[in-house]
Amino acid sequence: MSSAGKHKIRLLVVDDHEVVRAGLRTVLATFGRFEIVGEAASLAGAIQETERLKPDLVLLDVRLPDGSGFEAARELRARQRGIKILFLTSYSDDEVLHRVVEEDADGFLLKDAEAGELAATIDKIMAGESVLDASVTRRVLEHLRSANDITAQDKIALLAPQERRVLAQLAQGKTNKEIALAVGLSDKTVKNYIANAMEKLQMNRRSQVAVFCVRHGLVQAE
């Protein structure tokens, strides 16, 4: 399908290694729907280039010479409403993964992800989904599973059984279509269940719901 006449997704790449930035530029250039509008090698550079270029999405390393990617993400979101952040890093230790979830990241991928997975992740994020690298999802869930907040029990009690089933699938990182197949419902019904559940939980992002479900036992260990 031709991308002529369509708005390309404008990307800013932030990484302190030039070879990584060059590699991402080369890989993403093979997909006609993306346009890398700029690069930065530091937190300060990320802020400057974001304000200048107004990208749709920033591919952001979690560790930068003058600060963390998490600091950068907060700054970028404060300065540009609606900007999307995809953390793309070689680090997969538990501390980093926990921070990614706590910061309510739009997405997280390891740098060794395949080109197709990277492109698909960007597409999902731009469609409003939160995406966590499948290879580290289990570790994040296990890391969060031990936490428990008694004050959340009243919210859980408001959830209908079918809503709990749907949210348990959502917390595993599945898309609405994948959830629909897993629980035998239509995409539209799944979307409605998620919307109703998010209202009951007083949350507005899928990643927040996923963390909540794990912390309060709505996702069972396999």
Side-chain angles (χ1 to χ4, degrees):
M1 181 182 296
S2 172
S3 60
K6 290 187 177 181
H7 168 68
K8 290 189 176 183
I9 299 174
R10 293 165 51 81
L11 306 174
L12 175 67
V13 177
V14 181
D15 194 289
D16 59 334
H17 293 95
E18 184 177 356
V19 66
V20 172
R21 299 196 305 272
L24 287 171
R25 180 180 288 277
T26 299
V27 167
L28 292 170
T30 64
F31 299 90
R33 60 190 182 276
F34 303 133
E35 178 186 4
I36 296 183
V37 295
E39 302 176 4
S42 64
L43 186 157
I47 294 172
Q48 178 180 330
E49 291 302 276
T50 295
E51 291 192 324
R52 184 174 73 88
L53 299 168
K54 306 297 183 188
D56 299 312
L57 181 146
V58 178
L59 291 95
L60 184 61
D61 194 358
V62 298
R63 295 180 181 174
L64 299 169
D66 54 345
S68 75
F70 305 116
E71 293 176 70
R74 287 193 293 270
E75 283 286 339
L76 299 184
R77 283 173 169 160
R79 293 165 184 263
Q80 183 177 324
R81 183 177 181 181
I83 193 170
K84 302 294 186 180
I85 306 292
L86 170 57
F87 289 109
L88 190 63
T89 181
S90 57
Y91 299 99
S92 61
D93 58 86
D94 289 343
E95 180 182 355
V96 169
L97 300 180
H98 181 69
R99 285 291 303 278
V100 166
V101 176
E102 288 297 311
E103 291 288 334
D104 199 18
D106 295 301
F108 173 84
L109 276 181
L110 297 179
K111 288 180 180 177
D112 60 1
E114 297 291 333
E117 183 181 5
L118 173 59
T121 296
I122 293 173
D123 289 335
K124 288 179 180 179
I125 290 173
M126 292 307 300
E129 298 184 33
S130 296
V131 183
L132 191 66
D133 191 308
S135 67
V136 297
T137 297
R138 180 179 294 276
R139 287 175 57 189
V140 174
L141 297 181
E142 290 174 349
H143 184 74
L144 295 172
R145 210 180 292 277
S146 60
N148 188 33
D149 182 1
I150 297 176
T151 62
Q153 296 308 310
D154 288 342
K155 290 183 179 180
I156 293 174
L158 294 174
L159 297 174
Q162 195 72 293
E163 289 171 345
R164 295 190 188 196
R165 287 185 64 208
V166 169
L167 293 189
Q169 298 291 321
L170 180 153
Q172 295 175 43
K174 294 183 179 180
T175 65
N176 286 2
K177 186 176 293 293
E178 290 169 338
I179 295 172
L181 289 173
V183 299
L185 299 171
S186 70
D187 292 4
K188 183 177 181 180
T189 300
V190 166
K191 182 178 180 180
N192 289 338
Y193 275 132
I194 292 174
N196 291 338
M198 290 175 78
E199 183 176 357
K200 292 176 181 179
L201 296 175
Q202 298 178 310
M203 298 176 184
N204 53 25
R205 293 177 67 87
R206 292 171 74 99
S207 57
Q208 292 175 315
V209 175
V211 172
F212 180 90
C213 289
V214 173
R215 282 180 167 167
H216 303 295
L218 299 183
V219 181
Q220 300 301 316
E222 296 181 357

PDB file of all heavy atoms in Angstrom, residues 137-148 213-222:
ATOM      1  N   THR A 137       8.410  -9.508  29.576  1.00  0.00           N
ATOM      2  CA  THR A 137       7.117  -9.335  30.238  1.00  0.00           C
ATOM      3  C   THR A 137       7.008 -10.187  31.498  1.00  0.00           C
ATOM      4  O   THR A 137       6.571  -9.716  32.550  1.00  0.00           O
ATOM      5  CB  THR A 137       5.966  -9.700  29.281  1.00  0.00           C
ATOM      6  OG1 THR A 137       5.992  -8.807  28.171  1.00  0.00           O
ATOM      7  CG2 THR A 137       4.625  -9.585  29.986  1.00  0.00           C
ATOM      8  N   ARG A 138       7.409 -11.459  31.409  1.00  0.00           N
ATOM      9  CA  ARG A 138       7.291 -12.349  32.560  1.00  0.00           C
ATOM     10  C   ARG A 138       8.082 -11.822  33.752  1.00  0.00           C
ATOM     11  O   ARG A 138       7.620 -11.875  34.895  1.00  0.00           O
ATOM     12  CB  ARG A 138       7.773 -13.759  32.205  1.00  0.00           C
ATOM     13  CG  ARG A 138       7.675 -14.739  33.379  1.00  0.00           C
ATOM     14  CD  ARG A 138       8.139 -16.116  32.964  1.00  0.00           C
ATOM     15  NE  ARG A 138       7.246 -16.675  31.973  1.00  0.00           N
ATOM     16  CZ  ARG A 138       6.118 -17.304  32.265  1.00  0.00           C
ATOM     17  NH1 ARG A 138       5.750 -17.437  33.525  1.00  0.00           N
ATOM     18  NH2 ARG A 138       5.360 -17.795  31.315  1.00  0.00           N
ATOM     19  N   ARG A 139       9.271 -11.290  33.509  1.00  0.00           N
ATOM     20  CA  ARG A 139      10.085 -10.776  34.608  1.00  0.00           C
ATOM     21  C   ARG A 139       9.429  -9.574  35.267  1.00  0.00           C
ATOM     22  O   ARG A 139       9.483  -9.407  36.478  1.00  0.00           O
ATOM     23  CB  ARG A 139      11.481 -10.413  34.099  1.00  0.00           C
ATOM     24  CG  ARG A 139      12.321 -11.632  33.788  1.00  0.00           C
ATOM     25  CD  ARG A 139      13.631 -11.252  33.169  1.00  0.00           C
ATOM     26  NE  ARG A 139      14.383 -10.340  34.024  1.00  0.00           N
ATOM     27  CZ  ARG A 139      15.488  -9.720  33.630  1.00  0.00           C
ATOM     28  NH1 ARG A 139      15.936  -9.892  32.400  1.00  0.00           N
ATOM     29  NH2 ARG A 139      16.126  -8.914  34.451  1.00  0.00           N
ATOM     30  N   VAL A 140       8.809  -8.718  34.467  1.00  0.00           N
ATOM     31  CA  VAL A 140       8.113  -7.568  35.037  1.00  0.00           C
ATOM     32  C   VAL A 140       6.946  -8.036  35.901  1.00  0.00           C
ATOM     33  O   VAL A 140       6.737  -7.545  37.014  1.00  0.00           O
ATOM     34  CB  VAL A 140       7.594  -6.631  33.927  1.00  0.00           C
ATOM     35  CG1 VAL A 140       6.740  -5.523  34.518  1.00  0.00           C
ATOM     36  CG2 VAL A 140       8.763  -6.032  33.166  1.00  0.00           C
ATOM     37  N   LEU A 141       6.194  -8.993  35.388  1.00  0.00           N
ATOM     38  CA  LEU A 141       5.048  -9.496  36.143  1.00  0.00           C
ATOM     39  C   LEU A 141       5.494 -10.116  37.463  1.00  0.00           C
ATOM     40  O   LEU A 141       4.898  -9.875  38.514  1.00  0.00           O
ATOM     41  CB  LEU A 141       4.288 -10.534  35.310  1.00  0.00           C
ATOM     42  CG  LEU A 141       3.653 -10.026  34.013  1.00  0.00           C
ATOM     43  CD1 LEU A 141       2.921 -11.161  33.314  1.00  0.00           C
ATOM     44  CD2 LEU A 141       2.709  -8.874  34.274  1.00  0.00           C
ATOM     45  N   GLU A 142       6.549 -10.912  37.421  1.00  0.00           N
ATOM     46  CA  GLU A 142       7.040 -11.543  38.642  1.00  0.00           C
ATOM     47  C   GLU A 142       7.551 -10.501  39.631  1.00  0.00           C
ATOM     48  O   GLU A 142       7.385 -10.636  40.841  1.00  0.00           O
ATOM     49  CB  GLU A 142       8.153 -12.539  38.297  1.00  0.00           C
ATOM     50  CG  GLU A 142       7.640 -13.769  37.559  1.00  0.00           C
ATOM     51  CD  GLU A 142       8.764 -14.668  37.093  1.00  0.00           C
ATOM     52  OE1 GLU A 142       9.943 -14.239  37.164  1.00  0.00           O
ATOM     53  OE2 GLU A 142       8.473 -15.792  36.650  1.00  0.00           O
ATOM     54  N   HIS A 143       8.164  -9.444  39.101  1.00  0.00           N
ATOM     55  CA  HIS A 143       8.709  -8.386  39.957  1.00  0.00           C
ATOM     56  C   HIS A 143       7.595  -7.655  40.701  1.00  0.00           C
ATOM     57  O   HIS A 143       7.749  -7.256  41.849  1.00  0.00           O
ATOM     58  CB  HIS A 143       9.498  -7.398  39.100  1.00  0.00           C
ATOM     59  CG  HIS A 143      10.173  -6.322  39.885  1.00  0.00           C
ATOM     60  ND1 HIS A 143      11.294  -6.551  40.644  1.00  0.00           N
ATOM     61  CD2 HIS A 143       9.876  -5.007  40.034  1.00  0.00           C
ATOM     62  CE1 HIS A 143      11.675  -5.425  41.227  1.00  0.00           C
ATOM     63  NE2 HIS A 143      10.833  -4.473  40.871  1.00  0.00           N
ATOM     64  N   LEU A 144       6.463  -7.496  40.026  1.00  0.00           N
ATOM     65  CA  LEU A 144       5.365  -6.738  40.618  1.00  0.00           C
ATOM     66  C   LEU A 144       4.392  -7.598  41.413  1.00  0.00           C
ATOM     67  O   LEU A 144       3.626  -7.098  42.221  1.00  0.00           O
ATOM     68  CB  LEU A 144       4.578  -6.024  39.507  1.00  0.00           C
ATOM     69  CG  LEU A 144       5.345  -4.955  38.731  1.00  0.00           C
ATOM     70  CD1 LEU A 144       4.512  -4.495  37.551  1.00  0.00           C
ATOM     71  CD2 LEU A 144       5.700  -3.786  39.627  1.00  0.00           C
ATOM     72  N   ARG A 145       4.437  -8.904  41.210  1.00  0.00           N
ATOM     73  CA  ARG A 145       3.412  -9.792  41.738  1.00  0.00           C
ATOM     74  C   ARG A 145       3.331  -9.784  43.265  1.00  0.00           C
ATOM     75  O   ARG A 145       2.281 -10.019  43.852  1.00  0.00           O
ATOM     76  CB  ARG A 145       3.665 -11.224  41.247  1.00  0.00           C
ATOM     77  CG  ARG A 145       2.404 -12.044  41.105  1.00  0.00           C
ATOM     78  CD  ARG A 145       2.751 -13.438  40.607  1.00  0.00           C
ATOM     79  NE  ARG A 145       3.240 -13.444  39.256  1.00  0.00           N
ATOM     80  CZ  ARG A 145       2.464 -13.433  38.182  1.00  0.00           C
ATOM     81  NH1 ARG A 145       1.163 -13.365  38.321  1.00  0.00           N
ATOM     82  NH2 ARG A 145       2.979 -13.464  36.983  1.00  0.00           N
ATOM     83  N   SER A 146       4.466  -9.509  43.930  1.00  0.00           N
ATOM     84  CA  SER A 146       4.491  -9.590  45.388  1.00  0.00           C
ATOM     85  C   SER A 146       3.823  -8.399  46.070  1.00  0.00           C
ATOM     86  O   SER A 146       3.445  -8.472  47.235  1.00  0.00           O
ATOM     87  CB  SER A 146       5.939  -9.691  45.879  1.00  0.00           C
ATOM     88  OG  SER A 146       6.664  -8.554  45.471  1.00  0.00           O
ATOM     89  N   ALA A 147       3.700  -7.270  45.345  1.00  0.00           N
ATOM     90  CA  ALA A 147       3.119  -6.072  45.960  1.00  0.00           C
ATOM     91  C   ALA A 147       1.611  -6.235  46.122  1.00  0.00           C
ATOM     92  O   ALA A 147       0.947  -6.827  45.297  1.00  0.00           O
ATOM     93  CB  ALA A 147       3.422  -4.853  45.097  1.00  0.00           C
ATOM     94  N   ASN A 148       1.072  -5.698  47.204  1.00  0.00           N
ATOM     95  CA  ASN A 148      -0.373  -5.806  47.427  1.00  0.00           C
ATOM     96  C   ASN A 148      -0.869  -4.585  48.181  1.00  0.00           C
ATOM     97  O   ASN A 148      -0.253  -4.153  49.142  1.00  0.00           O
ATOM     98  CB  ASN A 148      -0.699  -7.070  48.221  1.00  0.00           C
ATOM     99  CG  ASN A 148      -2.191  -7.315  48.292  1.00  0.00           C
ATOM    100  OD1 ASN A 148      -2.908  -6.996  47.348  1.00  0.00           O
ATOM    101  ND2 ASN A 148      -2.656  -7.868  49.392  1.00  0.00           N
ATOM    102  N   CYS A 213      -3.485  -5.155  37.866  1.00  0.00           N
ATOM    103  CA  CYS A 213      -3.935  -6.551  37.816  1.00  0.00           C
ATOM    104  C   CYS A 213      -2.894  -7.493  38.405  1.00  0.00           C
ATOM    105  O   CYS A 213      -3.229  -8.435  39.134  1.00  0.00           O
ATOM    106  CB  CYS A 213      -4.228  -6.948  36.369  1.00  0.00           C
ATOM    107  SG  CYS A 213      -5.701  -6.177  35.680  1.00  0.00           S
ATOM    108  N   VAL A 214      -1.632  -7.249  38.091  1.00  0.00           N
ATOM    109  CA  VAL A 214      -0.569  -8.113  38.601  1.00  0.00           C
ATOM    110  C   VAL A 214      -0.411  -7.944  40.103  1.00  0.00           C
ATOM    111  O   VAL A 214      -0.303  -8.917  40.854  1.00  0.00           O
ATOM    112  CB  VAL A 214       0.759  -7.808  37.877  1.00  0.00           C
ATOM    113  CG1 VAL A 214       1.898  -8.588  38.518  1.00  0.00           C
ATOM    114  CG2 VAL A 214       0.644  -8.161  36.405  1.00  0.00           C
ATOM    115  N   ARG A 215      -0.419  -6.708  40.545  1.00  0.00           N
ATOM    116  CA  ARG A 215      -0.220  -6.441  41.969  1.00  0.00           C
ATOM    117  C   ARG A 215      -1.320  -7.039  42.838  1.00  0.00           C
ATOM    118  O   ARG A 215      -1.083  -7.406  43.989  1.00  0.00           O
ATOM    119  CB  ARG A 215      -0.156  -4.928  42.206  1.00  0.00           C
ATOM    120  CG  ARG A 215       1.178  -4.322  41.836  1.00  0.00           C
ATOM    121  CD  ARG A 215       1.185  -2.839  42.090  1.00  0.00           C
ATOM    122  NE  ARG A 215       2.545  -2.319  42.025  1.00  0.00           N
ATOM    123  CZ  ARG A 215       2.848  -1.037  41.955  1.00  0.00           C
ATOM    124  NH1 ARG A 215       1.890  -0.133  41.930  1.00  0.00           N
ATOM    125  NH2 ARG A 215       4.104  -0.647  41.909  1.00  0.00           N
ATOM    126  N   HIS A 216      -2.514  -7.152  42.279  1.00  0.00           N
ATOM    127  CA  HIS A 216      -3.643  -7.577  43.096  1.00  0.00           C
ATOM    128  C   HIS A 216      -4.185  -8.953  42.717  1.00  0.00           C
ATOM    129  O   HIS A 216      -5.330  -9.286  43.012  1.00  0.00           O
ATOM    130  CB  HIS A 216      -4.735  -6.514  43.043  1.00  0.00           C
ATOM    131  CG  HIS A 216      -4.237  -5.173  43.480  1.00  0.00           C
ATOM    132  ND1 HIS A 216      -3.812  -4.918  44.764  1.00  0.00           N
ATOM    133  CD2 HIS A 216      -4.032  -4.026  42.791  1.00  0.00           C
ATOM    134  CE1 HIS A 216      -3.390  -3.673  44.852  1.00  0.00           C
ATOM    135  NE2 HIS A 216      -3.508  -3.117  43.669  1.00  0.00           N
ATOM    136  N   GLY A 217      -3.328  -9.744  42.051  1.00  0.00           N
ATOM    137  CA  GLY A 217      -3.648 -11.151  41.861  1.00  0.00           C
ATOM    138  C   GLY A 217      -4.655 -11.480  40.787  1.00  0.00           C
ATOM    139  O   GLY A 217      -5.192 -12.589  40.768  1.00  0.00           O
ATOM    140  N   LEU A 218      -4.931 -10.546  39.875  1.00  0.00           N
ATOM    141  CA  LEU A 218      -5.876 -10.842  38.803  1.00  0.00           C
ATOM    142  C   LEU A 218      -5.222 -11.604  37.660  1.00  0.00           C
ATOM    143  O   LEU A 218      -5.900 -12.103  36.772  1.00  0.00           O
ATOM    144  CB  LEU A 218      -6.496  -9.546  38.265  1.00  0.00           C
ATOM    145  CG  LEU A 218      -7.295  -8.729  39.285  1.00  0.00           C
ATOM    146  CD1 LEU A 218      -7.924  -7.519  38.624  1.00  0.00           C
ATOM    147  CD2 LEU A 218      -8.358  -9.582  39.950  1.00  0.00           C
ATOM    148  N   VAL A 219      -3.883 -11.679  37.689  1.00  0.00           N
ATOM    149  CA  VAL A 219      -3.142 -12.463  36.699  1.00  0.00           C
ATOM    150  C   VAL A 219      -2.461 -13.590  37.443  1.00  0.00           C
ATOM    151  O   VAL A 219      -1.650 -13.352  38.333  1.00  0.00           O
ATOM    152  CB  VAL A 219      -2.083 -11.605  35.977  1.00  0.00           C
ATOM    153  CG1 VAL A 219      -1.355 -12.450  34.941  1.00  0.00           C
ATOM    154  CG2 VAL A 219      -2.734 -10.401  35.329  1.00  0.00           C
ATOM    155  N   GLN A 220      -2.784 -14.802  37.083  1.00  0.00           N
ATOM    156  CA  GLN A 220      -2.232 -15.957  37.781  1.00  0.00           C
ATOM    157  C   GLN A 220      -0.923 -16.390  37.147  1.00  0.00           C
ATOM    158  O   GLN A 220      -0.762 -16.345  35.930  1.00  0.00           O
ATOM    159  CB  GLN A 220      -3.225 -17.136  37.742  1.00  0.00           C
ATOM    160  CG  GLN A 220      -4.558 -16.816  38.396  1.00  0.00           C
ATOM    161  CD  GLN A 220      -4.410 -16.423  39.857  1.00  0.00           C
ATOM    162  OE1 GLN A 220      -3.664 -17.055  40.599  1.00  0.00           O
ATOM    163  NE2 GLN A 220      -5.103 -15.372  40.264  1.00  0.00           N
ATOM    164  N   ALA A 221       0.017 -16.805  37.970  1.00  0.00           N
ATOM    165  CA  ALA A 221       1.295 -17.314  37.456  1.00  0.00           C
ATOM    166  C   ALA A 221       1.045 -18.580  36.657  1.00  0.00           C
ATOM    167  O   ALA A 221       0.218 -19.406  37.016  1.00  0.00           O
ATOM    168  CB  ALA A 221       2.248 -17.612  38.615  1.00  0.00           C
ATOM    169  N   GLU A 222       1.755 -18.696  35.547  1.00  0.00           N
ATOM    170  CA  GLU A 222       1.597 -19.886  34.718  1.00  0.00           C
ATOM    171  C   GLU A 222       2.513 -20.998  35.207  1.00  0.00           C
ATOM    172  O   GLU A 222       3.552 -20.753  35.761  1.00  0.00           O
ATOM    173  CB  GLU A 222       1.934 -19.540  33.260  1.00  0.00           C
ATOM    174  CG  GLU A 222       0.972 -18.526  32.675  1.00  0.00           C
ATOM    175  CD  GLU A 222       1.307 -18.207  31.231  1.00  0.00           C
ATOM    176  OE1 GLU A 222       2.309 -18.742  30.750  1.00  0.00           O
ATOM    177  OE2 GLU A 222       0.568 -17.436  30.592  1.00  0.00           O
TER     178      GLU A 222
END
